[in-house]
Amino acid sequence: MATQERPIGFWLKLVDQLVDDQFGASFEEHGVTRRQWQMMNLLVEGPATQKQLSDGLRPFFPAVEAGTSEELIEELRESGWVALEDGQYQLTDLGSRSLENLRGAVDRIRQLMTEDIAEEEYTALLAVLQRMARNLGWDGDVASGPRVDT
């Protein structure tokens, strides 16, 4: 099958897997998972309970993995990147510095991913994907779709 004849589902799944692979390898070098990085990004907005973190990450976790968010936040706590106070998790100073270091890696991956793609093309791609999602039943509710940058 010629490249241009492959359906959109092929390209969406392929790009999604490649993005996961790139972020996974980069974050592994820093000792965190992509989901832990997403948790840390949520905590930049302020302290959050376990439920708030789980709810914020729900779009990223398949149903079978939903319980793993507690394990992931506990690993961050054990590493000193996150603290638990009065039932709420918050970034520590070490966690904030670590997150800043991770942002450099994320920026490099984003730059690689959009190399040779004009800003107008990228903007148009996002608009088309959003319309496709709406056509397939997505209601545009931020809570029902990914919020954390990737």
Side-chain angles (χ1 to χ4, degrees), residues 95-147:
S96 294
R97 287 192 305 274
S98 298
L99 183 58
E100 193 58 40
N101 289 336
L102 289 168
R103 285 191 177 131
V106 169
D107 288 345
R108 285 188 294 278
I109 293 169
R110 287 179 180 157
Q111 186 174 20
L112 175 66
M113 187 170 30
T114 58
E115 191 172 303
D116 297 325
I117 298 173
E119 188 174 334
E120 299 81 22
E121 290 176 301
Y122 185 76
T123 300
L125 172 64
L126 294 180
V128 167
L129 290 172
Q130 183 179 34
R131 284 196 312 270
M132 285 178 158
R134 286 182 193 279
N135 291 345
L136 293 170
W138 182 58
D139 66 3
D141 179 16
V142 176
S144 67
R147 184 208 68 73

Side-chain angles (χ1 to χ4, degrees), residues 33 35-36 39 50 53-54 57 60-76:
T33 67
R35 303 313 180 241
Q36 287 171 318
M39 286 179 171
Q50 173 63 43
L53 286 173
S54 293
L57 293 174
F60 295 97
F61 283 99
V64 295
E65 292 186 55
T68 63
S69 63
E70 187 173 339
E71 295 167 13
L72 295 174
I73 195 71
E74 284 304 314
E75 288 175 6
L76 289 173

